Amino acid sequence: HSADAHRTDLMTITRFVLNEQSKHPESRGDFSILLSHIVLGCKFVCTAVNKAGLAKLLGLAGETNVQGEDQKKLDVLSNEVFIKALVSSGRTCILVSEEDEEATFVERAKRGKYCVVFDPLDGSSNIDCGVSIGTIFGIYMIKDGHEPTLDDVLQPGKNMLAAGYCMYGSSCTLVLSTGSGVNGFTLDPSLGEFILTHPDIKIPKKGKIYSVNEGNAKNWDGPTSKYVQNCKYPTDGSSPKSLRYIGSMVADVHRTLLYGGIFLYPADKKSPNGKLRVLYEVFPMSFLMEQAGGQSFTGKQRALDLVPTKIHERAPIFLGSYDDVEEIKKLYAAEEQN
Ligand code: P6P
């Protein structure tokens, strides 16, 4: 009977979010409505990405497809979909997208109390070779009732109410935290619903995988070089770690979350602040890692304590299994003392 119950008791993301909402009796459901619009955006992008493989037949971006329409680049299309979905939710007031130089301030009539920062299609350079890509998002509450300003999104990551990503790969997986743990949902295309498939994700305390672009090794600083050296030639008698680097943050982070290990995008001589963006890459992934029992470090401080000054600011990042990140924190602390 219990197996049947499991099969028929479908926990969709909508039900899950409403369950969360019921823990906040004072809630008017605004947050649930906002999340449902983000989920809608993910469903749309999932179908568009899956069709992208056919884009070659329909004319690549920049050319016209069989209908003679201009084939939009998928990241531009995804951005438009999320902006429209978020504005139409009536629950947002400021939107920051990787695709837009300036923040979007929602018109007064459609304004709500949430600020959403997002990368609509991270890793999109990987689309043509079929590597998994994804949407990454984070949600802040506006600071207080005054006219929204950029200060409402230039908040430290620890102030986020929720964060998540949707990975478009062999299946469409949405990983979400609203501040009490991490849960993973998989899209059932026949139902058009995200079903809870990974309840209460916890990252292993220590992992056997390190994930970094070794091609940048020439430019790394001392602590990063030492850490990676230790991964390859351990001095404590343990076996070397495996290297797994997909080059799509959502895919590398998802593997790290499920299997354990560490993902690094360090600063280097060419990019003193690394490459990944604070608001909509570093913060959401750091939020998820901490909620799953891992941690996230910039080389100088806890990533979620960083206070951004610009909406497209970058930061170095070391995130993943708690013990693995501890190792690199020790190496940076030792350098501080020298
Ligand atoms: P590199 C993809 O372009 C991206 O923004 C992230 O998804 C990914 O982790 C990173 O850049 C890869 O960068 O320099 O190793 O190619």
Side-chain angles (χ1 to χ4, degrees):
H1 170 66
S2 63
D4 270 355
H6 177 74
R7 242 199 310 277
T8 51
D9 182 19
L10 281 184
M11 177 51 84
T12 64
I13 195 166
T14 311
R15 265 188 63 193
F16 184 88
V17 168
L18 287 172
N19 286 354
E20 289 297 295
Q21 175 187 316
S22 63
K23 294 173 189 168
H24 308 275
E26 76 290 348
S27 154
R28 290 196 337 239
D30 291 330
F31 192 68
S32 303
I33 289 168
L34 171 61
L35 278 175
S36 67
H37 281 77
I38 292 175
V39 167
L40 177 68
C42 293
K43 288 178 184 174
F44 180 93
V45 173
C46 177
T47 52
V49 164
N50 289 343
K51 282 187 201 127
L54 297 174
K56 291 216 179 304
L57 310 179
L58 303 179
L60 269 179
E63 294 162 30
T64 58
N65 59 23
V66 287
Q67 288 84 1
E69 296 142 8
D70 284 341
Q71 187 74 19
K72 278 194 169 70
K73 276 173 65 67
L74 263 182
D75 40 13
V76 172
L77 179 73
S78 305
N79 186 48
E80 287 172 8
V81 164
F82 275 105
I83 296 279
K84 287 196 178 86
L86 290 167
V87 170
S88 66
S89 75
R91 291 341 188 248
T92 62
C93 57
I94 306 178
L95 308 177
V96 170
S97 167
E98 192 268 348
E99 286 290 325
D100 296 330
E101 195 48 44
E102 304 303 326
T104 299
F105 288 82
V106 180
E107 57 177 293
R108 188 180 297 280
K110 293 200 167 167
R111 212 174 270 173
K113 59 191 177 188
Y114 296 108
C115 307
V116 182
V117 295
F118 63 101
D119 187 346
L121 205 56
D122 182 80
S124 51
S125 57
N126 292 297
I127 291 178
D128 293 345
C129 64
V131 164
S132 298
I133 52 181
T135 299
I136 310 172
F137 63 89
I139 302 173
Y140 291 108
M141 173 87 79
I142 188 168
K143 271 184 181 162
D144 54 42
H146 63 67
E147 192 65 11
T149 69
L150 275 188
D151 281 349
D152 292 302
V153 285
L154 294 175
Q155 299 188 49
K158 65 188 166 194
N159 290 2
M160 282 190 172
L161 300 176
Y165 58 81
C166 190
M167 185 171 76
Y168 311 107
S170 49
S171 63
C172 179
T173 306
L174 199 156
V175 173
L176 174 70
S177 173
T178 56
S180 44
V182 179
N183 290 280
F185 304 82
T186 304
L187 182 65
D188 177 336
S190 63
L191 290 176
E193 287 283 1
F194 279 99
I195 309 296
L196 180 65
T197 48
H198 298 71
D200 195 22
I201 299 174
K202 291 295 174 206
I203 183 170
K205 196 162 177 303
K206 190 164 178 47
K208 301 186 179 68
I209 297 170
Y210 74 104
S211 186
V212 69
N213 183 341
E214 287 263 12
N216 297 332
K218 185 164 65 75
N219 299 319
W220 289 338
D221 63 20
T224 291
S225 304
K226 185 96 186 71
Y227 180 77
V228 172
Q229 180 75 5
N230 290 344
C231 290
K232 297 195 270 196
Y233 303 93
T235 52
D236 60 359
S238 61
S239 46
K241 292 185 189 287
S242 288
L243 169 61
R244 292 283 183 277
Y245 194 69
I246 302 166
S248 176
M249 187 185 197
V250 173
D252 279 317
V253 168
H254 189 60
R255 184 210 49 252
T256 303
L257 188 64
L258 297 186
Y259 295 177
I262 186 167
F263 171 80
L264 313 87
Y265 208 108
D268 65 36
K269 294 188 196 95
K270 281 185 310 175
S271 345
N273 283 326
K275 173 183 184 181
L276 300 178
R277 309 285 184 167
V278 171
L279 277 183
Y280 41 78
E281 288 176 322
V282 172
F283 279 168
M285 298 313 206
S286 301
F287 185 95
L288 290 168
M289 280 297 159
E290 289 200 1
Q291 287 290 319
Q295 61 173 324
S296 181
F297 178 63
T298 66
K300 292 193 173 71
Q301 62 186 104
R302 176 192 177 217
L304 291 182
D305 287 342
L306 199 61
V307 181
T309 54
K310 292 206 176 344
I311 59 173
H312 296 296
E313 191 171 305
R314 302 168 194 266
I317 187 72
F318 307 88
L319 60 77
S321 293
Y322 193 88
D323 291 356
D324 295 335
V325 178
E326 266 316 283
E327 287 308 308
I328 199 134
K329 280 167 71 174
K330 282 182 199 139
L331 290 167
Y332 272 98
E335 173 170 273
E336 281 291 298
Q337 279 144 21
N338 298 350

